[in-house]
Amino acid sequence: MAELPVPELPPALSRCSGRFTISTLLGTEEGSRGPYAAAEGAGCDSTHLSGSTLCTRTFGYNTVDVVPAYEHYANSKGVGDGRKERPSLADLHSILKPEPGHPRVLVPDPQRSNGLPEPGLEEAAVEPGRAPAPEPVRFGWVKGVMIRCMLNIWGVILYLRLPWITAQAGIALTWLIILMSVTVTTITGLSISAISTNGKVKSGGTYFLISRSLGPELGGSIGLIFAFANAVAVAMHTVGFAETVRDLLQEHNSLIVDPTNDIRIIGVVTVTVLLGISLAGMEWEAKAQILFFLVILVSFINYLVGTVIPATDEKQAKGFFSYRADIFAQNFVPNWRGPEGSFFGLFSIFFPSATGILAGANISGDLKDPAVAIPKGTLMAIFWTTVSYLVLSATIGACVVRDASGSLNDSVAVGSPGCEGLACGFGWNFTACAQRQSCRYGLSNYYQSMSMVSGFGPLITAGIFGATLSSALACLVSAPKVFQCLCRDQLYPLIGFFGKGYGKNSEPIRGYVLTYIIAVGFILIAELNAIAPIISNFFLCSYALINFSCFHASITNSPGWRPSFRYYSKWAALFGAAVSVVIMFLLTWWAALIAFGIVIFLLGYVLYKKPDVNWGSSMQASSYNMALNYSVGLSEVEEHIKNYRPQCLVLTGPPNFRPALVDFVGTFTKNLSLMLCGNVLIGPWKQKMPESRLTADGHTKWLTKRKIKAFYTDVVAEDLRSGVQMLMQAAGLGKMRPNILVLGYKRNWRTVSPQSLEDYVGILHDAFDFKYGVCLMRMKEGLNVSRVLQAHVNPMFEAAEHPDENGTGGRAAAGTAADPSASASEQQASTIFQSEQGKKTIDIYWLFDDGGLTLLIPYLLGRKKRWGKCKIRVFVGGQINRMDEERKAIVSLLSKFRLGFHEVHILPDINQKPWPEHIKRFDDLIAPFRLNDGFKDEATVNEMRQGCPWKISDEEVDKNRAKSLRQVRLNEILLDYSRDAALIAITLPVGRKGRCPSSLYMAWLETLSWDLRPPIILTRGNQENVLTFYCQ
């Protein structure tokens, strides 16, 4: 069969990439109907579609479906692009319905059929009439990460302390110290690489990585202290530079004022210049970093050249003899000296020089491709800096002796008597100063050994300047970038002002100024010895959490954890986290405690505030795993009475319609057991399903705002009873399933349709059939506040629109429950269960033994603070001639249950005849529902009742007369004893199925609870024990 020819498309569709909607098809058909209109499923003929792209993204097949493409998964829209989205499920499988005036025409690029991202796809769309924004500066892995990390890792310790560490620990242990430090940083680098390649990384650096992995609680706390640590680190590195300049001025007797104030003056001037470089933009900052990098490289080359140049007499007097095997052998083993002469003492001094690996990650927003640049640049920086440390310690340890006097007069002939030490073999006698430990030169005494060994000393000084200034500049850039991201997330108050960005790179100028002020403040103190350990611990905190983030994301087995960087290990990451914490305490234990204290305080604040963010963190994945494992494990545990918990299915309808019912159950189930708010949407399934999807989140948010720990679920059913049956059968998971049905009392049972009355009573019968306990609540003012809510939203609301007041849910009033934002943001209605009850009473009428549920719920309620001052009284039926014996028996039973109920009352007059006027009131109540059959035979009665099963025959009235009079009498007793109680709990009477018509049963409940001011809770367990006095 030949394919149908495809008509020429309108201009709007001629630019289409092949993704079009049903409305678009219909609009096209309406506009140009012809004998050859395109039909979904028709093949695309390349000869007919040469000028059209209708099918280019559907591999030549004319369909609403589209092939996979990048833009379907990107958060933002492309520049100047139309909407790029896949068709919805309704577009694909629902009936074609034209939408006049709303054609959904999508206009993607016809050449974009390969699914690759377009340039600038993640940027904001350009407004009409406005010139496109300039392209921001972006860096690759060398310029943006590797060089930046190497500069931040290299520091003054490389030049001034590594030779001294080599003299103390020896070359072997120095290498061990270096490799131990690098192990921690390498593991952290691998963890950073894994995290940064698990999705698109934006600006925010370390804070962004941790917060999006572990969540806002830990991420926010680390982000704040990490930004502060970087700000203070600017002052530290600047003071290091200022001290070096001050020492040079002292050597030439050219101090500006005095040694301390000179540091302040030079430091403030220097940090101001660095601020100017930063404000000039990332491009100028990067150029400055390259300049510093070249200076340091030249200083290294200068040092290495100096080691091979034959030593002059002046250098030999200071202990330098070029490469010698015996010097290497002597310096290979340790020679501990002074209070810091221990392995871990030297480790704590060296380790800060291995840090700085986060400098590249901290400007993640300025990288071309962070997922490539961060792993490659960070790991390469660690590798090359490690090589430089190892080479430096080995070379200087093979050239310079530990002790030298520096005096040219100490030269002697080789083999002279009385000369001790290695230098004797080279013609120098340093024995005297070595024995007195007063030598000024040598590896163990002279910090400037690198400058002395080098070919040209001032180049080493230039290297020190480059190392300090580059580190200061890197920290000056990192702190505002991290802080800006934190401010934009608004996890903490009063910091949003600093989140604003300026220019094409969204530079945090306000953050730069704040960092500058903090740095200047600490420079003016000029005493950083106490602050430095805390800063080191802040950086180590970050390392520990980055490693823990990688471990935690791996261990949760979340399908969303798919890093493209594969060379990491979750156990290595855990080891790195643990070692980072250990090193914190090895460096300075009190600083570690301070760091932990600050982190815990900030963590607690975010936990308390509960920011409204959802980043898909591994904590969420872990919560799911734990819940799943515990739920499955719980299914394997046999139930025991001691562990019984009232797990309630509450028929609230929309929860905001019956706040008192929600508050009552939420009070005694909070932090104790399961609460499930159920809603039955009555109507056609296709019509009600969209309403269900729309309102569910709003109802859950309402419960959260009211601080009710409950779940919300709804079902669509043809009628209320079948919907409740679905809920009772399907609600819950494993052992976390409801065992009590809680519903409101149906106040309007006399005026509603007979079928509605039958359904309501039938729900109670169904609950007992499903082995549920039943808890029915009645309040004098009613439970359903939907009329008030709807009148507030719509003053023209009429009574006929609001749902039946039965506590079972049904139809939701339009505009209140159907709008999730309205139900979540509306003013919360106050109920009696939210207020302090004072010294009132909770009266329990335990008339029939239902397993103890009638006792348990008031007991749980009384444990809560708002009800804690209420006195609980227990009333039981008895005979007047055995009151004392029965009271003692009940008191003994209650004491065994350990409920703390000590006030017990026996009701001997429970079987007395009620007052005649009360009996008449009951008879008048059931009169409209009587058949008045005159005791006709059963066949006649059944015929009269055909179609109206709620009617009451004379025989049923007579058979249930005693039970009816008991309800009347019980109401009299309740009015006598409990008129002023805070709450009444009474055993729910049970109507025998098929023998007690629904209208008679409701008359019992109406009579029993008539004219009672306090809330009344009618409870009936499933006749199985929920209390025990045994311990096994």
Side-chain angles (χ1 to χ4, degrees):
M1 180 180 292
E3 294 182 350
L4 290 174
V6 180
E8 184 178 353
L9 298 171
L13 287 179
S14 66
R15 299 189 301 272
C16 183
S17 69
R19 189 274 185 214
F20 53 95
T21 65
I22 293 172
S23 10
T24 304
L25 281 175
L26 290 172
T28 305
E29 290 170 2
E30 288 176 359
S32 57
R33 288 197 180 274
Y36 305 112
E40 183 183 345
C44 288
D45 191 338
S46 59
T47 60
H48 290 96
L49 288 179
S50 58
S52 166
T53 59
L54 194 62
C55 305
T56 57
R57 288 175 64 201
T58 51
F59 44 83
Y61 185 70
N62 186 3
T63 177
V64 178
D65 248 340
V66 295
V67 296
Y70 173 88
E71 52 267 24
H72 300 157
Y73 298 89
N75 291 331
S76 307
K77 307 295 184 292
V79 177
D81 227 347
R83 289 189 299 167
K84 298 181 179 181
E85 55 184 20
R86 69 177 65 84
S88 69
L89 204 56
D91 287 338
L92 295 177
H93 92 293
S94 295
I95 299 174
L96 292 169
K97 290 184 180 179
E99 299 176 17
H102 296 85
R104 295 178 57 191
V105 181
L106 301 169
V107 200
D109 185 354
Q111 302 303 320
R112 298 284 305 111
S113 60
N114 57 357
L116 297 176
E118 299 177 15
L121 182 64
E122 295 294 323
E123 306 301 327
V126 179
E127 294 183 13
R130 180 177 295 184
E135 188 70 21
V137 178
R138 295 285 187 255
F139 304 114
W141 71 272
V142 176
K143 192 176 179 180
V145 181
M146 189 185 80
I147 291 178
R148 192 175 298 273
C149 286
M150 290 177 71
L151 289 173
N152 215 22
I153 293 171
W154 284 329
V156 292
I157 291 178
L158 170 71
Y159 292 95
L160 302 181
R161 289 295 182 271
L162 189 57
W164 174 77
I165 292 173
T166 304
Q168 289 268 4
I171 296 172
L173 291 183
T174 300
W175 276 37
L176 181 60
I177 289 172
I178 294 171
L179 293 176
M180 283 177 61
S181 303
V182 169
T183 299
V184 177
T185 56
T186 302
I187 292 173
T188 307
L190 295 175
S191 298
I192 292 172
S193 301
I195 296 172
S196 62
T197 57
N198 188 55
K200 187 173 180 60
V201 176
K202 299 181 181 179
S203 61
T206 306
Y207 160 70
F208 184 88
L209 295 177
I210 296 177
S211 62
R212 269 53 175 182
S213 295
L214 285 178
E217 298 83 6
L218 284 171
S221 57
I222 282 299
L224 200 58
I225 66 171
F226 187 76
F228 178 75
N230 272 286
V232 180
V234 175
M236 285 182 57
H237 295 301
T238 305
V239 167
F241 167 77
E243 285 181 347
T244 307
V245 176
R246 189 269 319 267
D247 292 343
L248 289 174
L249 292 176
Q250 274 185 323
E251 288 182 7
H252 297 85
N253 295 319
S254 302
L255 286 175
I256 304 172
V257 182
D258 58 65
T260 303
N261 285 317
D262 281 10
I263 293 176
R264 293 170 177 161
I265 294 169
I266 297 168
V268 171
V269 172
T270 304
V271 80
T272 305
V273 172
L274 294 178
L275 176 66
I277 295 173
S278 301
L279 293 178
M282 287 298 295
E283 197 168 4
W284 283 96
E285 187 268 348
K287 291 176 180 177
Q289 294 285 32
I290 291 177
L291 175 63
F292 292 141
F293 183 71
L294 293 175
V295 169
I296 293 175
L297 283 184
V298 169
S299 70
F300 277 170
I301 295 171
N302 171 52
Y303 160 74
L304 293 174
V305 169
T307 59
V308 297
I309 295 176
T312 62
D313 289 344
E314 289 80 4
K315 288 188 176 182
Q316 287 187 0
K318 294 179 180 180
F320 173 61
F321 297 100
S322 293
Y323 290 105
R324 304 282 179 134
D326 45 1
I327 294 179
F328 180 86
Q330 187 186 57
N331 288 337
F332 191 77
V333 295
N335 182 20
W336 310 112
R337 297 183 186 181
E340 295 171 333
S342 65
F343 181 82
F344 286 108
L346 296 178
F347 178 82
S348 64
I349 292 172
F350 174 80
F351 184 80
S353 67
T355 60
I357 60 172
L358 300 178
N362 285 337
I363 63 161
S364 54
D366 298 298
L367 301 175
K368 291 179 182 175
D369 188 354
V372 173
I374 291 176
K376 187 183 290 187
T378 303
L379 295 176
M380 288 300 292
I382 293 173
F383 174 77
W384 287 116
T385 52
T386 304
V387 169
S388 67
Y389 284 141
L390 295 175
V391 169
L392 178 62
S393 63
T395 53
I396 204 162
C399 298
V400 185
V401 296
R402 285 192 170 102
D403 294 299
S405 64
S407 172
L408 294 174
N409 296 326
D410 286 338
S411 60
V412 294
V414 177
S416 298
C419 182
E420 298 178 2
L422 195 63
C424 298
F426 309 131
W428 294 86
N429 184 4
F430 304 136
T431 306
C433 73
Q435 290 177 344
R436 293 194 303 269
Q437 293 190 352
S438 59
C439 296
R440 292 181 55 197
Y441 295 94
L443 284 182
S444 296
N445 310 293
Y446 189 48
Y447 290 153
Q448 301 283 354
S449 295
M450 275 189 69
S451 180
M452 180 263 295
V453 169
S454 64
F456 184 60
L459 283 178
I460 300 299
T461 304
I464 295 174
F465 289 172
T468 53
L469 292 179
S470 64
S471 296
L473 187 57
C475 292
L476 183 58
V477 171
S478 296
K481 294 281 185 182
V482 172
F483 192 57
Q484 182 186 37
C485 184
L486 179 64
C487 295
R488 287 176 173 174
D489 287 338
Q490 297 181 342
L491 299 182
Y492 298 101
L494 308 177
I495 63 174
F497 173 79
F498 297 99
K500 183 174 176 57
Y502 296 86
K504 58 185 180 181
N505 273 50
S506 188
E507 295 289 348
I509 294 179
R510 296 174 179 177
Y512 282 130
V513 174
L514 178 64
T515 304
Y516 171 78
I517 293 171
I518 294 172
V520 168
F522 280 97
I523 288 171
L524 294 178
I525 293 174
E527 287 293 334
L528 295 176
N529 290 338
I531 303 297
I534 299 178
I535 295 172
S536 297
N537 278 282
F538 283 168
F539 285 119
L540 278 167
C541 264
S542 304
Y543 291 179
L545 282 177
I546 286 175
N547 284 309
F548 184 73
S549 299
C550 182
F551 166 77
H552 198 264
S554 303
I555 205 72
T556 54
N557 293 322
S558 172
W561 175 248
R562 302 184 302 274
S564 55
F565 182 85
R566 300 291 185 183
Y567 305 103
Y568 73 95
S569 166
K570 59 185 176 185
W571 301 114
L574 180 62
F575 174 76
V579 170
S580 298
V581 173
V582 171
I583 293 173
M584 288 176 66
F585 284 92
L586 286 178
L587 294 181
T588 318
W589 65 267
W590 56 266
L593 292 177
I594 292 175
F596 273 112
I598 295 174
V599 169
I600 291 171
F601 173 77
L602 295 174
L603 171 67
Y605 175 83
V606 178
L607 284 172
Y608 173 75
K609 294 298 289 184
K610 294 181 179 176
D612 187 17
V613 295
N614 183 8
W615 296 325
S617 68
S618 61
M619 287 298 181
Q620 293 173 325
S622 177
S623 298
Y624 177 86
N625 275 0
M626 291 174 63
L628 181 62
N629 291 334
Y630 283 131
S631 297
V632 173
L634 194 62
S635 300
E636 301 171 359
V637 178
E638 292 187 12
E639 293 179 351
H640 194 283
I641 302 172
K642 285 171 59 178
N643 293 323
Y644 174 85
R645 293 169 186 260
Q647 303 187 122
C648 300
L649 171 60
V650 191
L651 300 185
T652 58
N656 55 318
F657 279 11
R658 295 172 179 81
L661 192 63
V662 171
D663 290 339
F664 163 64
V665 181
T667 301
F668 70 81
T669 59
K670 187 175 183 180
N671 299 326
L672 176 80
S673 59
L674 174 70
M675 176 180 173
L676 204 81
C677 294
N679 184 16
V680 179
L681 300 172
I682 301 174
W685 184 83
K686 292 182 180 179
Q687 177 184 342
K688 289 296 179 178
M689 276 307 295
E691 179 184 334
S692 172
R693 288 193 295 266
L694 176 68
T695 59
D697 284 345
H699 294 319
T700 302
K701 289 177 181 177
W702 185 88
L703 291 168
T704 303
K705 185 177 179 181
R706 203 171 179 85
K707 298 182 179 179
I708 299 294
K709 295 190 176 182
F711 298 98
Y712 169 83
T713 186
D714 53 29
V715 294
V716 178
E718 295 297 329
D719 59 77
L720 180 63
R721 184 174 181 181
S722 61
V724 176
Q725 288 173 345
M726 294 179 196
L727 285 172
M728 286 192 289
Q729 292 179 88
L733 180 69
K735 293 293 177 68
M736 300 287 290
R737 298 176 61 85
N739 50 28
I740 299 174
L741 181 71
V742 183
L743 67 166
Y745 176 71
K746 191 176 185 67
R747 298 175 68 204
N748 57 351
W749 65 274
R750 284 173 286 181
T751 57
V752 296
S753 65
Q755 186 58 48
S756 178
L757 174 61
E758 278 288 295
D759 282 350
Y760 182 77
V761 177
I763 288 170
L764 301 180
H765 289 306
D766 294 338
F768 292 132
D769 289 340
F770 288 126
K771 301 290 287 182
Y772 273 63
V774 172
C775 188
L776 192 148
M777 180 178 179
R778 181 176 187 180
M779 296 181 68
K780 190 170 185 178
E781 62 274 19
L783 292 172
N784 196 331
V785 299
S786 61
R787 184 194 300 270
V788 179
L789 293 176
Q790 190 63 29
H792 177 71
V793 175
N794 178 12
M796 301 302 293
F797 174 70
E798 297 178 0
E801 296 175 13
H802 80 89
D804 290 341
E805 194 159 341
N806 52 26
T808 57
R811 300 169 183 83
T816 303
D819 184 359
S821 59
S823 63
S825 60
E826 70 188 16
Q827 184 176 2
Q828 298 281 340
S830 178
T831 67
I832 186 175
F833 298 98
Q834 291 182 315
S835 56
E836 294 284 343
Q837 296 304 309
K839 296 184 178 181
K840 298 181 182 179
T841 62
I842 298 175
D843 290 351
I844 304 173
Y845 288 82
W846 195 26
L847 303 178
F848 303 100
D849 191 352
D850 61 348
L853 188 62
T854 307
L855 293 173
L856 181 62
I857 290 178
Y859 165 75
L860 296 175
L861 200 66
R863 294 201 309 181
K864 302 300 179 180
K865 184 178 179 181
R866 293 188 180 115
W867 297 78
K869 295 180 181 178
C870 291
K871 182 170 63 174
I872 297 180
R873 303 188 298 179
V874 179
F875 297 83
V876 294
Q879 299 178 15
I880 193 168
N881 56 347
R882 299 181 62 243
M883 286 180 58
D884 289 341
E885 294 86 345
E886 290 178 351
R887 184 181 182 280
K888 288 178 181 177
I890 294 297
V891 168
S892 174
L893 179 62
L894 293 177
S895 66
K896 287 183 171 63
F897 287 146
R898 307 174 306 282
L899 297 174
F901 300 165
H902 302 298
E903 187 169 343
V904 177
H905 298 268
I906 304 298
L907 301 173
D909 52 351
I910 197 170
N911 290 319
Q912 286 184 4
K913 190 173 182 179
W915 290 94
E917 57 268 29
H918 295 161
I919 298 174
K920 183 179 183 304
R921 185 182 65 211
F922 176 80
D923 291 336
D924 292 342
L925 187 63
I926 64 173
F929 301 95
R930 295 188 63 167
L931 278 175
N932 296 316
D933 55 325
F935 294 97
K936 295 182 175 62
D937 60 85
E938 187 175 348
T940 307
V941 171
N942 289 337
E943 185 177 348
M944 293 176 66
R945 185 179 276 173
Q946 193 70 29
C948 48
W950 56 88
K951 290 284 188 178
I952 312 169
S953 68
D954 292 349
E955 183 181 5
E956 288 167 338
V957 171
D958 186 60
K959 284 184 177 179
N960 291 289
R961 190 65 177 174
K963 202 167 187 177
S964 300
L965 294 179
R966 187 187 305 130
Q967 312 312 319
V968 179
R969 177 57 187 154
L970 281 173
N971 178 253
E972 294 175 350
I973 292 173
L974 293 176
L975 290 171
D976 287 342
Y977 288 94
S978 303
R979 187 182 295 271
D980 298 321
L983 181 79
I984 300 173
I986 188 169
T987 307
L988 175 73
V990 177
R992 191 172 297 279
K993 189 165 54 173
R995 293 282 183 251
C996 179
S998 55
S999 54
L1000 178 60
Y1001 184 72
M1002 290 304 298
W1004 289 351
L1005 301 185
E1006 178 74 25
T1007 301
L1008 178 62
S1009 57
W1010 181 80
D1011 201 26
L1012 288 168
R1013 188 184 302 114
I1016 180 166
I1017 311 298
L1018 296 102
T1019 308
R1020 170 69 70 161
N1022 61 2
Q1023 301 304 112
E1024 294 181 0
N1025 288 350
V1026 300
L1027 298 174
T1028 181
F1029 41 77
Y1030 294 110
C1031 61
Q1032 65 178 9

